[in-house]
Amino acid sequence: MADECFGLPRLAAVYDPLDPDRGDLDAYLRIAEEVGARRVLDIGCGTGVFALLLADRGIEVVGVDPAEASLDVARGKPGSERVRWIHGDATALPPLRADLATMTGNVAQAIVDPRTWRETLRGAYAALRPGGHLVLETRDPARRAWQEWNREASYGVTEIPGVGAVENWVEVTDVSGQLVTFRWTYVFAADGEVLTSDSTLRFRERQEIETELIAQGYVVEDVRDAPDRPGREFVFLARRPESG
């Protein structure tokens, strides 16, 4: 089930204006070029920002996401007809032969259930052609990023055309082992409505992710820094073997 910030239509509609800087996606565009991808599966595509950037480059894209409201936003964007949008997740995909599967924006961390995580990796593997690649990112748990997730650091007011001013902030509500739960609060000045969205992320260790990728048949080719967040993220580049 999608978190409210992705699944509630009013929140999905303001997701992009509240997070307009997607410079983090530049590294993924370079990886798509690096591996020569002509067909890409974007897992957790959300409002379609990355999928549409790929489509702008003439790449054939399938975007999959469990949040119908986010997909509705994606479908309403210019050029959206060039992308195949699927409501669901990577555990149940139609037959594909993608050159590259992606999980950007910490999508991998949002898959907290171990069984679903394994099934997602299997689903991505099945969707790749032999020799195809998977790239995903996750925060380095040693950096304890959640310690910076508080109202004082995150509070902002954004004026959105056609919507009005929206206040928003985040606060951590629970830390239990690898699981960190936090709540975003949104206040719409136009009518005073207050909406909240609760999310949980799993902070997996690097070795744990590498071990699981190998267990699902991948060859781990590289583990990189996120160029825009050096020392904070692991970016995994894995490959389905030619004989797999």
Side-chain angles (χ1 to χ4, degrees), residues 52 56 74-82:
L52 291 170
D56 284 344
R75 293 185 185 107
K77 293 181 176 180
S80 64
E81 70 282 352
R82 292 174 296 176

Side-chain angles (χ1 to χ4, degrees), residues 179-226:
L179 301 179
V180 177
T181 301
F182 52 97
R183 173 172 293 168
W184 279 99
T185 299
Y186 306 83
V187 181
F188 291 80
D191 58 10
E193 184 174 20
V194 178
L195 295 174
T196 59
S197 176
D198 294 320
S199 302
T200 299
L201 299 181
R202 183 177 289 278
F203 283 73
R204 299 178 178 90
E205 298 289 347
R206 169 178 170 166
Q207 187 59 53
E208 178 185 355
I209 295 172
E210 289 192 58
T211 298
E212 193 60 65
L213 285 167
I214 293 168
Q216 300 310 324
Y218 293 91
V219 175
V220 179
E221 291 193 339
D222 200 5
V223 183
R224 309 174 178 181
D225 245 351

Side-chain angles (χ1 to χ4, degrees), residues 54-131:
L54 291 168
D56 284 344
R57 287 157 175 76
I59 294 172
E60 181 183 327
V61 189
V62 174
V64 59
D65 200 279
E68 189 70 62
S70 292
L71 289 177
D72 286 342
V73 172
R75 293 185 185 107
K77 293 181 176 180
S80 64
E81 70 282 352
R82 292 174 296 176
V83 177
R84 180 183 179 187
W85 307 105
I86 297 176
H87 179 222
D89 59 39
T91 67
L93 290 167
L96 300 171
R97 285 182 62 84
D99 302 309
L100 176 66
T102 62
M103 286 188 246
T104 68
N106 302 118
V107 165
Q109 285 189 261
I111 306 169
V112 298
D113 177 70
R115 186 176 71 174
T116 305
W117 174 236
R118 289 192 296 271
E119 291 174 350
T120 297
L121 293 178
R122 282 194 211 110
Y125 187 97
L128 291 170
R129 64 165 176 80

